[in-house]
Amino acid sequence: MRFPRRAIRAFLAGVLLLGAPVHGHGLPEAEATPTRVQSRSPLEEARTHFHAGRYEDALDVLRPLTRRGRGDPAARKLHARVLQEQGAYREGLEILGGDATPPELARIRGELLLEMGRLDDAEAAFQLSAESGAPDAAVARLHLGEMAFMRGDRDEAMAVFDSFIDLYNRSSSLDGETTMAVARAVTYLGRRSPALFQDALKAYDEAAEQLTGDPRPLVAVGDLFLSKYASPDAYDEYRRVLDVNPHHPDALLGRARAQEFDGSPEAIATARQALETNPNHVGARILVARIHLRAEAVEAALEEIRTALEVNPASLEALAVLAAAQHLAGDAAGFAATLRRSDGLNPDYPGLYSTLAQVSADTRKYQDAVRFAREAVRRDPRAWDALGILATNQLRTGALSEGRRNMETAFSGDPYNPWFKNTLDLLDTWANYRTVETEHFRIMLHEREAELLEPYVTHLAEEAFAALAERYGTEPPTPIRLEIYPSSADFSVRTLGMVGLGALGVSFGSTLVMDSPSARNAGEFNWESTLWHELAHAFHLGISEHNVPRWFSEGLAVREQRVARDRWGFPVSPVYLQAWHDGMMPPLSRMNEAFVRPQFPQQVVFAYTQASLAFDWIEEDYGFQAIRGFLDGYRTGRDTQALAREILGLDDDELDDAFDAYLRERFRTELAAVVDIPSPLSATLEDRGNDAEVAVPGVPVLRDLETMRARVRAQPGAFQPRLELGQALVAAGEMDEAEEHLREALRLFPRYPDPNGPLRQLARIHEQRGEIRQASDALRRLGSLNENVYEVYRDEARLRRLLEDVAGERAALLKAVEVFPYDPDLHARLAELHRAVGDTDGLVRERRAVLSLDPVDRAEAHFRLAQALVANGDAREGRRQLLRALEIAPTYEPALELLLELRGGGS
């Protein structure tokens, strides 16, 4: 049984915290006070400085107490911990006495040696502590269990961890260090019994009470929350530490991991803060490297991970990231060597292959992800994360039954995982879908809208496939699975396992997933354009064998939208041009950064626009064969830099300069109107939220017409003041003056796409004057600039009908169907227009659409469909529809007459 879908934080509050003490402890405020407290002993004073992050003050107090590796063991231990937190591991060993470290300090010596990857020496130190009965012998024994786990001796390790439950149950009181060891041991046991995580939390709470002022229990609780996908609770724990010690490297790393978990671009900067305190923090460098890999910045990732391995050559996690980077770079020899190196430390380490699987999925290599995740699960059947990665990518690549079975197993092992649970809930809803097969597609449509969408989707999908196959001279693997979801939340879960994805569609290669037009309000997106975009990805991924960079595939897919219909794709807006002009967009040679690590909310949207313009430029100047050459080159493992030199003859700087020159020339008029002359567009992008345009529809920014006229006189070549004045004049009824300014605004920015821009205002002026043709032409021009303007298409159709322009009205209504096909009156009118021009296929399609939308008069809808079918030569199905009409209304005369006519004619 699976829990009902709900927020993970509530889940943890109800399950993970069940039976635990009230959680909300923090470090005492007194610990953060920088003033020296004279009544305390030097050791207490040093500890206060240490916990507050005043490391040099702590060391100043401790150095006289620990000279030449001698002195009080407690002082030496604290001194070593301060150095450990700063990454000065060798100095810490010297303070402990080097090879002559006494048993009571052997445990901390082992921890320092572990940080440096000296595994044999670390194990010896822990053995010394455990066998000598040192005060922290239990902690040393925990480390021995962890080392056994790390080298693949899982049964031995789990036996050690099990013993800590007995230790806890038979001891009336444990010191804080030992209680923390119990909590860590129980966390390992949670992989077998997830309910034990609540016991781990309870033990950490007790340790926090015992180790007053020590941040380690709080950091551990934060890590536990984050491991159970509760980032808000994890943030709270890390914040409590950082409020007292803003430099604490483990808390900063925890915060960075939580930020990365939440998709925040701040993660890499926070991880670098941790490295400022501890430049040798292997975990922080691993995180930075993984972020670079997600951005496909392989060289930057390699630099970070090699630095990490210089500190700790035995870090299995670092070796896994190194292998992933080498795999992405196509370094087969290096990859094989790293695998051997990792297997030499632990031949059953699943993390090596689960990391490879996750990085492969992050970079759209889904079959690789399946292969690697399968090996991770073979190595450790309880590696629930790896099993989940395997299941997720099986579902993405068409292995649906096996993927579902594996997801069920993964969820049984990790019932806290919201991705697993949400995916299984979604799979349960598939019973409500039907699958339609065409020559190249298997299309999954929800039952409640399948009758309506099927003819449109099947026709468009095959049209797009034929057009792209001809253009690229090849075909992707078929059949292509296309899933269309009437719920954006379900689409998001299918894509990521969580709700909240802002995209409209996703391509996994030969599996395409997208929002249904019913998932959004009318005018929010063009579902036909989206389908074409996602299918283009299938071609790009197929040709490149999933090696194409994201910016290239996304930009080229938008280019393919425009090739198919010139109104489709991301339009060029004033705000984009200003962002590009102001240096807020990366150059073409670094275009991927804006997609994978955007620096402000609109940057991803602008990146689609800019990347697509790059392909306009390449195809115009170098021909389509250049684009095809890039895709072929990616397949062989070459990168963009090498291919640009080979195909375009340009290095990075030349590439960037040439593209910039293209943009400046192509948008010379628009740039002069929006960025070279001061205007309200100079406001910061951040102040505009997520709106793509500056003008508020129907509401001029400045309402004083005289002030607005003065602005236009002062800035006659600025677009925005002209537009705002024109809008205000229309609202005031000053149509003649409004027309003057709106036409000038249109001259300054001829392809302004906003639905309340100059063209819409001019259409209103013309319609008010009775100039219906000019009004409809203005709306048609606006509709050619923006794929989503549903109301514009409907208004144009209304005006074309007044003009008795059948072809124009029909074209406008077909554009409206691309956006929102759920208005029965639209389909009824289209049916009449198709009949008028002799398009009987279209007539049948629209009459079926009317019937699928559950009209009030179903008898008439069946009759009209019967008429259409007969006109299209399908008398048999026409008779069937007539009988359906007569079942509803037995005396419906038109149906009876047509049925008699068909029988009399022998049809």
Side-chain angles (χ1 to χ4, degrees):
M1 176 178 179
R2 296 193 295 277
F3 293 98
R5 188 176 298 174
R6 56 189 176 186
I8 187 62
R9 187 171 187 176
F11 178 78
L12 285 167
V15 179
L16 185 56
L17 301 184
L18 184 65
V22 176
H23 196 68
H25 52 262
L27 300 184
E29 292 295 327
E31 297 290 350
T33 304
T35 305
R36 288 171 66 116
V37 182
Q38 297 299 325
S39 61
R40 294 187 177 182
S41 69
L43 196 59
E44 291 171 331
E45 185 179 355
R47 185 173 288 109
T48 298
H49 286 312
F50 174 42
H51 290 164
R54 299 188 297 274
Y55 300 111
E56 289 306 315
D57 290 343
L59 292 174
D60 286 344
V61 175
L62 289 166
R63 285 187 186 105
L65 306 177
T66 60
R67 285 180 181 150
R68 301 183 187 88
R70 298 177 183 175
D72 177 59
R76 291 159 66 191
K77 178 179 177 181
L78 181 59
H79 194 163
R81 281 191 57 205
V82 175
L83 293 170
Q84 180 183 17
E85 201 156 291
Q86 293 180 296
Y89 307 131
R90 296 184 189 282
E91 293 178 47
L93 291 174
E94 293 173 6
I95 291 299
L96 295 174
D99 292 340
T101 299
E104 62 268 27
L105 298 177
R107 188 267 297 183
I108 189 69
R109 170 179 165 80
E111 292 177 356
L112 289 167
L113 291 165
L114 267 184
E115 300 275 16
M116 300 167 66
R118 292 169 55 181
L119 303 185
D120 291 342
D121 291 340
E123 186 171 19
F126 293 139
Q127 288 283 8
L128 175 62
S129 175
E131 292 171 2
S132 67
D136 54 3
V139 182
R141 195 159 54 82
L142 171 75
H143 285 311
L144 289 169
E146 290 178 320
M147 291 190 72
F149 194 88
M150 184 174 66
R151 65 175 177 261
D153 295 331
R154 287 191 286 271
D155 290 341
E156 176 186 337
M158 297 304 276
V160 173
F161 301 144
D162 268 326
S163 71
F164 277 82
I165 293 181
D166 295 333
L167 173 65
Y168 181 83
N169 289 334
R170 70 169 181 260
S171 302
S172 58
S173 64
L174 298 174
D175 63 82
E177 295 275 2
T178 303
T179 304
M180 275 195 67
V182 170
R184 284 172 63 89
V186 172
T187 301
Y188 279 95
L189 295 172
R191 65 188 247 116
R192 292 190 317 203
S193 177
L196 288 173
F197 288 120
Q198 59 186 285
D199 292 329
L201 183 63
K202 178 181 177 182
Y204 279 129
D205 279 331
E206 292 179 10
E209 294 175 3
Q210 294 167 316
L211 298 171
T212 304
D214 195 321
R216 289 176 298 166
L218 298 183
V219 173
V221 169
D223 293 346
L224 179 59
F225 274 125
L226 190 57
S227 74
K228 296 300 112 189
Y229 323 103
S231 60
D233 300 279
Y235 278 122
D236 288 344
E237 301 305 319
Y238 301 136
R239 177 184 52 77
R240 291 186 179 107
V241 174
L242 294 170
D243 283 348
V244 175
N245 178 3
H247 313 292
H248 195 280
D250 291 341
L252 285 167
L253 175 58
R255 175 179 283 178
R257 285 172 172 160
Q259 289 167 337
E260 197 248 356
F261 176 89
D262 289 338
S264 168
E266 298 175 358
I268 197 165
T270 305
R272 293 203 183 282
Q273 285 182 271
L275 290 168
E276 289 175 10
T277 301
N278 181 352
N280 292 323
H281 202 301
V282 171
R285 294 207 179 272
I286 288 171
L287 178 61
V288 171
R290 291 197 67 147
I291 293 171
H292 282 315
L293 284 183
R294 188 170 290 112
E296 299 172 27
V298 177
E299 288 303 319
L302 285 168
E303 181 179 350
E304 288 291 343
I305 211 63
R306 284 169 178 153
T307 301
L309 287 165
E310 287 173 5
V311 177
N312 182 353
S315 170
L316 287 168
E317 191 177 355
L319 287 170
V321 175
L322 175 61
Q326 291 166 329
H327 177 64
L328 292 186
D331 180 5
F335 177 69
T338 301
L339 296 189
R340 289 193 297 272
R341 185 174 167 186
S342 177
D343 286 348
L345 293 166
N346 179 354
D348 291 322
Y349 177 53
L352 172 66
Y353 284 92
S354 63
T355 298
L356 285 165
Q358 187 59 61
V359 170
S360 295
D362 289 342
T363 52
R364 301 171 304 286
K365 297 174 177 62
Y366 306 109
Q367 291 290 359
D368 284 355
V370 169
R371 176 166 55 90
F372 289 136
R374 199 185 298 279
E375 173 60 16
V377 174
R378 186 196 67 77
R379 290 178 169 218
D380 182 0
R382 292 182 185 273
W384 308 122
D385 61 332
L387 188 57
I389 295 170
L390 174 60
T392 297
N393 288 284
Q394 287 173 324
L395 291 170
R396 289 170 172 171
T397 54
L400 303 179
S401 297
E402 187 179 1
R404 180 167 191 153
R405 286 195 301 272
N406 284 330
M407 190 63 76
E408 292 277 5
T409 304
F411 184 72
S412 69
D414 184 3
Y416 299 108
N417 191 302
W419 290 273
F420 300 171
K421 183 250 179 242
N422 289 344
T423 299
L424 289 169
D425 282 351
L426 175 67
L427 295 178
D428 288 344
T429 71
W430 281 9
N432 301 320
Y433 289 76
R434 72 171 67 164
T435 299
V436 178
E437 296 191 11
T438 69
E439 181 181 358
H440 298 104
F441 291 86
R442 289 178 181 167
I443 302 170
M444 192 177 89
L445 298 166
H446 198 281
E447 285 283 0
R448 68 170 177 257
E449 58 183 13
E451 293 291 341
L452 170 66
L453 294 182
E454 179 181 338
Y456 295 101
V457 174
T458 54
H459 174 77
L460 181 72
E462 289 295 346
E463 177 195 348
F465 190 94
L468 292 167
E470 180 179 2
R471 182 161 157 83
Y472 286 92
T474 189
E475 297 181 359
T478 57
I480 291 174
R481 180 177 175 84
L482 171 61
E483 300 172 10
I484 300 180
Y485 289 95
S487 162
S488 286
D490 286 346
F491 156 69
S492 182
V493 168
R494 178 64 168 104
T495 305
L496 295 177
M498 296 286 279
V499 299
L501 179 66
L504 301 169
V506 170
S507 173
F508 298 117
S510 289
T511 297
L512 314 180
V513 184
M514 62 177 283
D515 270 344
S516 160
S518 65
R520 308 277 177 141
N521 294 324
E524 288 192 22
F525 88 114
N526 185 310
W527 68 269
E528 290 195 6
S529 175
T530 299
L531 194 160
W532 202 290
H533 179 103
E534 299 308 331
L535 182 58
H537 283 312
F539 280 80
H540 306 154
L541 292 168
I543 294 168
S544 68
E545 294 183 358
H546 288 246
N547 285 318
V548 61
R550 184 178 171 192
W551 80 267
F552 192 101
S553 187
E554 295 293 1
L556 185 53
V558 176
R559 166 70 180 163
E560 294 302 345
Q561 290 171 275
R562 283 203 291 271
V563 169
R565 315 276 194 272
D566 59 5
R567 67 183 178 277
W568 284 359
F570 287 78
V572 174
S573 68
V575 187
Y576 159 69
L577 287 177
Q578 192 167 47
W580 174 78
H581 178 271
D582 292 346
M584 299 182 72
M585 297 299 294
L588 185 56
S589 62
R590 302 197 338 260
M591 196 69 243
N592 224 44
E593 295 174 10
F595 284 96
V596 298
R597 202 162 61 239
Q599 298 304 302
F600 57 93
Q602 287 176 298
Q603 194 175 41
V604 170
V605 174
F606 293 165
Y608 278 89
T609 298
Q610 183 163 307
S612 72
L613 294 173
F615 291 102
D616 289 354
W617 165 58
I618 293 172
E619 189 161 358
E620 289 169 17
D621 284 16
Y622 297 89
F624 181 71
Q625 69 274 12
I627 294 172
R628 191 65 168 78
F630 271 90
L631 290 169
D632 291 335
Y634 289 132
R635 184 180 64 250
T636 63
R638 282 172 288 174
D639 60 18
T640 301
Q641 188 177 47
L643 291 169
R645 284 195 301 267
E646 176 185 327
I647 297 170
L648 308 181
L650 303 174
D651 64 22
D652 281 356
D653 291 339
E654 292 168 335
L655 180 74
D656 295 338
D657 290 345
F659 181 52
D660 282 359
Y662 169 82
L663 291 179
R664 291 188 188 283
E665 176 59 28
R666 177 171 174 178
F667 299 105
R668 181 176 65 253
T669 299
E670 292 87 346
L671 285 166
V674 300
V675 302
D676 289 350
I677 300 172
S679 79
L681 281 169
S682 299
T684 61
L685 285 166
E686 289 78 0
D687 291 340
R688 299 176 193 152
N690 291 322
D691 297 330
E693 303 303 333
V694 176
V696 178
V699 183
V701 176
L702 299 177
R703 298 177 183 276
D704 185 335
L705 288 177
E706 288 307 315
T707 301
M708 299 175 81
R709 289 185 179 106
R711 287 179 61 225
V712 168
R713 288 192 296 271
Q715 304 168 358
F719 168 76
Q720 191 69 17
R722 290 278 187 183
L723 173 60
E724 291 172 356
L725 177 57
Q727 290 172 325
L729 289 165
V730 169
E734 302 287 344
M735 299 303 183
D736 291 343
E737 185 184 355
E739 183 178 7
E740 172 192 346
H741 292 290
L742 291 167
R743 291 199 180 282
E744 180 60 13
L746 191 59
R747 186 191 69 78
L748 293 170
F749 206 111
R751 295 184 63 82
Y752 185 70
D754 189 82
N756 199 48
L759 287 166
R760 186 64 180 268
Q761 300 293 339
L762 287 168
R764 287 170 179 155
I765 292 172
H766 287 307
E767 183 175 4
Q768 187 179 80
R769 293 173 179 166
E771 299 165 351
I772 303 303
R773 186 165 299 281
Q774 292 94 320
S776 60
D777 287 348
L779 293 175
R780 179 169 59 188
R781 182 175 170 186
L782 176 55
S784 73
L785 302 175
N786 189 326
E787 65 178 30
N788 298 330
V789 283
Y790 179 74
E791 293 301 330
V792 170
Y793 300 144
R794 297 300 302 267
D795 278 354
E796 184 196 349
R798 175 179 56 81
L799 296 178
R800 297 287 176 191
R801 186 171 187 177
L802 293 175
L803 295 169
E804 298 183 354
D805 180 356
V806 171
E809 183 186 359
R810 182 168 172 256
L813 290 179
L814 286 172
K815 293 175 188 175
V817 171
E818 294 177 9
V819 180
F820 197 74
Y822 297 98
D823 184 343
D825 292 339
L826 183 156
H827 292 288
R829 181 59 186 163
L830 262 177
E832 294 304 312
L833 294 169
H834 290 321
R835 182 180 58 78
V837 299
D839 180 359
T840 55
D841 286 338
L843 173 62
V844 170
R845 183 177 65 245
E846 299 307 325
R847 286 303 176 191
R848 287 194 185 280
V850 172
L851 186 60
S852 73
L853 290 168
D854 195 21
V856 174
D857 191 342
R858 292 189 63 82
E860 183 183 11
H862 282 291
F863 169 68
R864 296 295 182 190
L865 176 55
Q867 286 181 311
L869 288 162
V870 171
N872 200 39
D874 190 352
R876 176 175 295 184
E877 179 61 18
R879 281 198 303 272
R880 196 174 76 85
Q881 292 298 326
L882 287 172
L883 292 174
R884 296 286 301 276
L886 292 169
E887 285 176 5
I888 298 168
T891 61
Y892 188 31
E893 287 191 13
L896 288 168
E897 291 173 2
L898 181 56
L899 184 61
L900 289 173
E901 180 182 331
L902 291 175
R903 286 177 175 171
S907 297

